[in-house]
Amino acid sequence: MDISGTPFRAVRAALFTAVVVTLSTASHVLLSGVPLPFTTVAAITAAVFLAAFALAGRERGFGRIAGVLIPLELAADTVFTTGQHACYGEAGGPVTGPLRQVGLDVLCGGGGVGAPLARVAGGSERAAALLAGAGPGAAWLLLAAHVGVGLLAAA
């Protein structure tokens, strides 16, 4: 049975996308305490699916998989964080004023993904206090965690 055909590639890419995007959004919301905009999650989902579908044609080794996954994970985290800041502000509250009139409603429309998880995480006050007290090593620790997750996913 040949598993390299287009239908099987699409199914593998869809399953990979579902697992990766679900874990990524859940962990991002839990750690930040702020929901993600629906359009941001939809854009990352489409990008992950397209990359997975394009690369699902043949078997690849650990190094090549890690070489794709780690930059994609860092990019997804950057997009998620940017979406959160654009739609919910630095402190996790709604953005008001002239930004709403320039089309931010389109970007932030559709509700927040993971709002119940954000409530479980304790809200943005705790996350803001944690980040305010973080030293310069916290950024390196966060980068190391993302690289570690990318390596684990590649394995």
Side-chain angles (χ1 to χ4, degrees):
M1 181 174 181
D2 182 27
I3 63 168
S4 63
T6 301
F8 289 111
R9 286 175 65 189
V11 169
R12 286 195 319 256
L15 289 173
F16 176 79
T17 301
V19 169
V20 167
V21 172
T22 300
L23 290 174
S24 182
T25 51
S27 63
H28 198 88
V29 168
L30 280 172
L31 291 174
S32 68
V34 179
L36 291 166
F38 175 76
T39 51
T40 303
V41 175
I44 290 295
T45 302
V48 168
F49 177 79
L50 291 174
F53 185 77
L55 297 172
R58 66 180 183 90
E59 198 170 322
R60 288 174 172 73
F62 174 78
R64 290 180 188 234
I65 294 171
V68 170
L69 280 180
I70 292 171
L72 284 178
E73 182 182 347
L74 292 171
D77 179 65
T78 302
V79 170
F80 282 161
T81 302
T82 303
Q84 283 177 322
H85 285 269
C87 293
Y88 303 114
E90 294 283 333
V95 175
T96 58
L99 279 177
R100 286 284 175 202
Q101 298 168 0
V102 181
L104 203 58
D105 285 330
V106 174
L107 172 68
C108 301
V113 175
L117 282 177
R119 286 191 296 273
V120 168
S124 61
E125 296 84 22
R126 190 171 69 174
L130 179 67
L131 290 174
W140 291 105
L141 184 61
L142 185 60
L143 177 63
H146 280 291
V147 170
V149 167
L151 292 172
L152 184 64

